[in-house]
Amino acid sequence: MSQTRKPRRHVPAFAPVPLRYRSGGWTPGKQAAFLGFLAATRCVRTAARHVGMSRETAYRLRRKPGAGSFAHAWNVAIGENTGPAPKVTLEELRTRAVFGLLKPLLYRGRYVSTVRKADNSALLRYLARFDRACRDLDRECRDEARLAPCAASTRSGHGAPIRLSSAA
C-alpha cells in the first residue's frame, strides 16, 4: 500500500520588518514564529493567535515599508507561487549584513524553532556598493584637483581686468 506524501512545507530565510521596539509588539522572533505557524497551518488567524497577535496586525505588518522579504516569505509559507524574490533596498541590505536573516524551522509539518543565519552575501554586496561609492568620490576629488589651479588663478587676480591709466 503506497502512502501519498504531503508536499514539504518550508519558509525561506527572511529579513524581519524593521520596527520600533514595543512590549507586546511584532518582535523579530514573533515574526519568524508567525511565519513558521503560517506554513504549518496555512491560516493567518491561527498563526497570529499562536504568537499572541491579531490577524489585522499581521496584515498591517505585511504592508509596512521594508516588509518585502517578510511578504515574500509569507507567500512561500502559504504556497503561493511568487516568482523571484523582491529587490533588496540599500537599507535592507545593511540590516541583513549586520543582523543576518531569520529562518523558521519546521519538522514533520510543525513549527519547532527559529535560527538566525549570517547573510554573508549581503555583507559582500554592501561592501561592493560602499567600494563603488568610494571610487566615485575619489574620481570626483581628482577631477576637482585638476580644475583647482584654473579656479585659483581667477581668484588671485590673474584674471582681473587690466588698468590702462596710471592715475589713482
Side-chain angles (χ1 to χ4, degrees), residues 65-82:
S69 179
F70 178 78
H72 177 72
W74 178 319
N75 291 339
V76 172
I78 61 174
E80 286 184 7
N81 185 6
T82 60

Side-chain angles (χ1 to χ4, degrees), residues 2-142:
S2 68
Q3 291 181 328
T4 58
R5 288 185 118 176
K6 290 182 182 178
R8 185 170 177 251
R9 296 179 190 165
H10 77 285
V11 180
F14 73 99
V17 181
L19 298 171
R20 195 178 53 198
Y21 176 78
R22 298 174 72 174
S23 66
W26 281 101
T27 63
K30 276 189 182 179
Q31 292 176 40
F34 168 78
L35 290 175
F37 286 121
L38 183 63
T41 64
R42 307 255 174 140
C43 176
V44 175
R45 184 181 308 271
T46 305
R49 194 175 305 132
H50 274 290
V51 295
M53 302 302 281
S54 70
R55 174 184 173 275
E56 291 78 19
T57 61
Y59 278 105
R60 210 174 307 140
L61 177 68
R62 181 186 166 107
R63 289 189 303 266
K64 285 207 177 280
S69 179
F70 178 78
H72 177 72
W74 178 319
N75 291 339
V76 172
I78 61 174
E80 286 184 7
N81 185 6
T82 60
K87 289 190 174 186
V88 179
T89 63
L90 185 61
E91 182 60 31
E92 186 178 342
L93 194 60
R94 186 189 71 77
T95 304
R96 284 181 173 200
V98 173
F99 299 110
L101 300 172
L102 296 178
K103 170 86 172 125
L105 298 177
L106 291 121
Y107 179 72
R108 294 188 180 190
R110 299 180 118 180
Y111 168 71
V112 289
S113 69
T114 301
V115 175
R116 184 174 295 274
K117 294 175 57 175
D119 193 356
N120 295 332
S121 66
L123 177 61
L124 292 173
R125 287 187 308 183
Y126 189 69
L127 289 174
R129 283 189 182 185
F130 183 72
D131 189 42
R132 275 194 305 269
C134 287
R135 265 189 273 132
D136 293 344
L137 185 62
D138 185 43
R139 189 176 303 121
E140 286 177 20
C141 289
R142 274 188 270 127

